[in-house]
Amino acid sequence: MTGSSVLFDAPGPVARRRSRISSIIGAVLILAGLGWIVVTLAAPKGNLPGYFDPSRWEPFTNPVVWERIFTVGVWGTLSAALTASAFALILGTIFSLLRSAQTAWIRIPTAVVLEFIRGMPVLLMMLFILLVLSTGTFWAVVAALSLYNGVLIGEALRAGLASLPRGQREAGLSLGMRPMQSKILVEFPQAFRQMLPIIIAQLVVLLKDTSLGYIVGYVELLRVTMNQLATFYGNYYLFSFYIVALVLYLIMNLSLSWVARWVSRRTASKTGSPTPNPDEENEELLKGIAKANAERRQTGRGSI
């Protein structure tokens, strides 16, 4: 019995023919819907030309517009996303270690705090940080995105730690390492690599959530295009600025999504190799720690 037919029988000729017909009909309906949208947008709106008329794209012949979009809008989005991503990774590491601690008085309060942060809307968190702590719009956006996504990344890392074989911890403890040392030096690097595709996928969500900064007044891509430039040039060009912002967001998000898929394939190819040795990745590390312990015992300083 193959893995593809465990839960259901392999489709026969009739089922495959019906599947092809359904796929063709679905594709035709999707193309028809897209065609209807294009025709509707291109049609004149009363005395005004359609949305694809060249006159509606005149502002983009001005280099200053593109300079404003990229140097202020795109840079504002990327700077907030990159800063929040760095803090989210750091917080996620800390949260995963605290959440998986052996001591109950550390693990339980951490779980309560994490559930509270995960249950709070990101926009509400931005407003709270901005109004109560008076941090400014940039740090309000960064802090809210860092906390929320750090919690989710921490849960992913904790799941990665829980999925590792018990032999990883036992190998570290057998060399004289304390439980926390074994977790940080032996287990955590493997869990991070195993959960890397999920972490990158969460960073894609973080990048999209920077658009919430529009509500709190942070100057990013959405605010530059849909508020500043559209207000300056008028509602006649509103759809054009919307399309430009959409395309730029798609380019950034799809690029990061492509990285996530590439990392996922690389990780699957490594973890899916036959007869893997669970201690192979840390063999050199464990040998070095054992050698250091032997030297410290000889000098009477104890093990690390």
Side-chain angles (χ1 to χ4, degrees):
M1 181 178 295
T2 61
S4 60
S5 60
V6 172
L7 300 179
F8 52 87
D9 294 333
V14 176
R16 289 196 297 268
R17 183 169 60 252
R18 290 176 179 175
S19 177
R20 285 195 296 268
I21 294 175
S22 300
S23 300
I24 294 174
I25 294 176
V28 170
L29 292 176
I30 292 175
L31 291 176
L34 292 177
W36 177 80
I37 293 174
V38 171
V39 171
T40 302
L41 294 176
K45 311 299 185 230
N47 296 327
L48 298 177
Y51 288 116
F52 297 124
D53 189 82
S55 63
R56 290 186 178 269
W57 302 88
E58 290 177 354
F60 300 102
T61 60
N62 187 356
V64 178
V65 172
W66 290 108
E67 181 182 359
R68 180 73 180 176
I69 291 175
F70 281 99
T71 60
V72 180
V74 174
W75 172 246
T77 295
L78 293 179
S79 60
L82 292 175
T83 307
S85 298
F87 283 113
L89 291 173
I90 296 173
L91 291 175
T93 303
I94 297 174
F95 289 154
S96 65
L97 295 176
L98 295 177
R99 185 69 176 83
S100 59
Q102 299 293 329
T103 308
W105 64 269
I106 295 178
R107 184 179 64 255
I108 295 177
T110 302
V112 174
V113 173
L114 297 186
E115 290 297 327
F116 174 78
I117 295 176
R118 188 164 58 177
M120 180 181 294
V122 181
L123 180 57
L124 184 62
M125 198 180 307
M126 289 182 186
L127 292 171
F128 177 83
I129 295 173
L130 178 64
L131 299 177
V132 176
L133 302 181
S134 301
T135 57
T137 56
F138 174 79
W139 288 111
V141 172
V142 169
L145 293 177
S146 301
L147 285 173
Y148 183 78
N149 291 278
V151 170
L152 300 180
I153 292 174
E155 289 298 306
L157 291 175
R158 185 174 70 89
L161 289 173
S163 65
L164 292 177
R166 292 183 57 186
Q168 298 296 311
R169 170 171 294 190
E170 294 173 356
L173 297 178
S174 65
L175 295 174
M177 300 174 64
R178 291 187 292 272
M180 184 57 68
Q181 286 180 309
S182 175
K183 183 175 295 184
I184 295 176
L185 298 178
V186 178
E187 302 171 56
F188 188 80
Q190 299 180 69
F192 186 84
R193 195 188 74 173
Q194 185 174 349
M195 293 293 133
L196 190 57
I198 298 176
I199 293 174
I200 298 179
Q202 187 59 41
L203 296 182
V204 175
V205 179
L206 186 151
L207 177 60
K208 292 188 292 185
D209 285 345
T210 55
S211 59
L212 294 175
Y214 177 90
I215 307 298
V216 299
Y218 176 63
V219 181
E220 39 75 52
L221 178 59
L222 189 63
R223 189 169 188 84
V224 168
T225 54
M226 302 302 295
N227 182 269
Q228 296 179 354
L229 292 176
T231 301
F232 179 79
Y233 282 98
N235 291 334
Y236 183 76
Y237 305 99
L238 184 62
F239 178 79
S240 304
F241 285 109
Y242 170 82
I243 293 296
V244 170
L246 174 63
V247 170
L248 291 176
Y249 271 116
L250 287 176
I251 292 174
M252 292 186 289
N253 292 327
L254 292 178
S255 300
L256 194 53
S257 299
W258 178 84
V259 173
R261 290 192 296 270
W262 179 79
V263 171
S264 178
R265 289 194 298 268
R266 291 292 300 269
T267 304
S269 64
K270 291 182 179 180
T271 57
S273 58
T275 63
N277 182 6
D279 297 327
E280 182 178 355
E281 298 175 355
N282 299 288
E283 182 177 357
E284 296 297 328
L285 174 63
L286 297 178
K287 287 181 179 179
I289 294 174
K291 183 179 179 181
N293 283 335
E295 292 176 354
R296 293 176 69 90
R297 293 192 188 98
Q298 292 176 359
T299 56
R301 291 182 292 173
S303 302
I304 60 175

